[in-house]
Amino acid sequence: MSKHLILLGPPGGGKGTQAKKLQEDYGLVQLSTGDMLRAAVASGSEIGKKAKAVMEAGQLVSDDIVIGIIDERIKQPDAKKGFILDGFPRTVAQAEALDKMLTARGLKIDAAIEIRVPDSMIVERITGRFTCGKCGAGYHDSFQRPKVDGTCDSCGGREFIRRADDNAATVQQRLDAYHAQTAPILPFYEKKGCLRLVDGTLPIDQVTGHLKNIVEGKAVS
Ligand code: ADP
Ligand code: ADP
Ligand code: ZN
């Protein structure tokens, strides 16, 4: 099923968790600008050097940088099967640039889905988050523990990573950036008629169920 989806929502809202599930179920690729920027930081590239301090402070990396990254990424052959954008667009300028890129390729967004979670739940979501260092599978100290303590369910890996910016001090800055710079793109997709809403406070599997109904055109939310 070739679909072009956007997952919107606050940091820690569950975008990455859900994008991974939809990717498996529908054969789409997950395009996470956060993951791409972290890879750039780890590699020490020019982009990584520019992005590092901004990300650690919980602010947004410049539109030019992330638009350039996405423009390059959606040209890759695997993106032809359809994609799930996770963490992009995050500003109105990014949403407009994305629109131009897609129009130029004869594509359109099928659904921009807001995973809504109140700020009051976000600190716990973010400070409890960790991922497998080998395969990137996502976990949470309270809400999504590995089946066997210390061992990744997906790959058996035993090393886990916590992000430098996943601390209580940076969360408020990231939430402020979300409300000031990212939430204003919701009306952009509403006007296009492709905005959908999912209650992100539900358990992970229920959120996935609602998302799948939307993707398969079964929901009228
Ligand atoms: P985002 O990509 O939006 O920043 P993540 O998918 O990384 O968010 O989720 C943040 C943390 O919350 C992770 O540790 C994840 O395991 C956990 N999580 C995700 N969705 C839910 C949910 N519906 N209920 C409880 N915890 C969740
Ligand atoms: P989360 O979903 O938990 O906020 P992400 O992995 O999506 O985290 O992003 C981590 C950081 O990377 C952001 O706080 C920001 O500094 C940077 N970033 C990711 N995507 C974008 C984007 N589209 N525009 C600007 N900055 C971005
Ligand atoms: Zn793993």
Side-chain angles (χ1 to χ4, degrees):
M1 182 174 356
S2 173
K3 291 270 180 185
H4 299 90
L5 309 171
I6 300 176
L7 295 184
L8 295 164
K15 302 180 296 297
T17 302
Q18 299 298 336
K20 286 199 168 59
K21 290 182 178 266
L22 298 177
Q23 153 165 285
E24 285 164 20
D25 289 347
Y26 298 115
L28 306 171
V29 284
Q30 172 192 12
L31 303 184
S32 159
T33 42
D35 286 348
M36 294 174 208
L37 289 166
R38 279 184 289 280
V41 171
S43 77
S45 69
E46 278 312 305
I47 286 179
K49 281 182 200 149
K50 285 188 190 149
K52 188 171 190 280
V54 179
M55 291 171 76
E56 280 174 4
Q59 285 158 0
L60 294 186
V61 174
S62 79
D63 287 335
D64 287 353
I65 290 182
V66 286
I67 290 167
I69 290 181
I70 283 290
D71 194 31
E72 278 304 311
R73 186 63 187 85
I74 64 177
K75 285 180 194 156
Q76 304 301 314
D78 64 338
K80 291 224 166 29
K81 53 191 179 181
F83 49 73
I84 308 160
L85 289 166
D86 157 17
F88 180 93
R90 250 178 161 97
T91 63
V92 172
Q94 292 177 22
E96 286 168 350
L98 173 65
D99 224 37
K100 287 204 186 108
M101 285 178 224
L102 295 180
T103 306
R105 293 176 171 81
L107 302 174
K108 68 167 181 51
I109 293 300
D110 296 289
I113 310 169
E114 179 196 358
I115 302 178
R116 193 178 290 174
V117 179
D119 287 10
S120 57
M121 292 176 78
I122 293 299
V123 174
E124 190 179 13
R125 287 274 186 101
I126 284 189
T127 53
R129 166 161 63 187
F130 62 96
T131 54
C132 171
K134 205 164 145 195
C135 76
Y139 295 97
H140 191 281
D141 292 327
S142 315
F143 307 132
Q144 199 186 7
R145 299 187 63 83
K147 290 192 183 81
V148 178
D149 241 8
T151 305
C152 174
D153 298 350
S154 306
C155 76
R158 299 188 55 82
E159 301 231 350
F160 295 91
I161 301 174
R162 289 182 193 259
R163 279 167 47 180
D165 58 341
D166 275 354
N167 57 73
T170 310
V171 173
Q172 193 53 49
Q173 183 58 47
R174 287 159 66 195
L175 280 170
D176 289 348
Y178 178 72
H179 292 296
Q181 292 168 276
T182 306
I185 71 180
L186 298 171
F188 179 92
Y189 291 107
E190 186 155 37
K191 277 190 212 117
K192 286 182 176 294
C194 64
L195 184 67
R196 301 287 182 272
L197 173 65
V198 166
D199 178 357
T201 68
L202 296 170
I204 293 173
D205 289 348
Q206 287 186 38
V207 176
T208 309
H210 288 295
L211 289 169
K212 290 177 76 169
N213 284 340
I214 291 173
V215 176
E216 292 170 21
K218 291 180 194 155
V220 264
S221 82

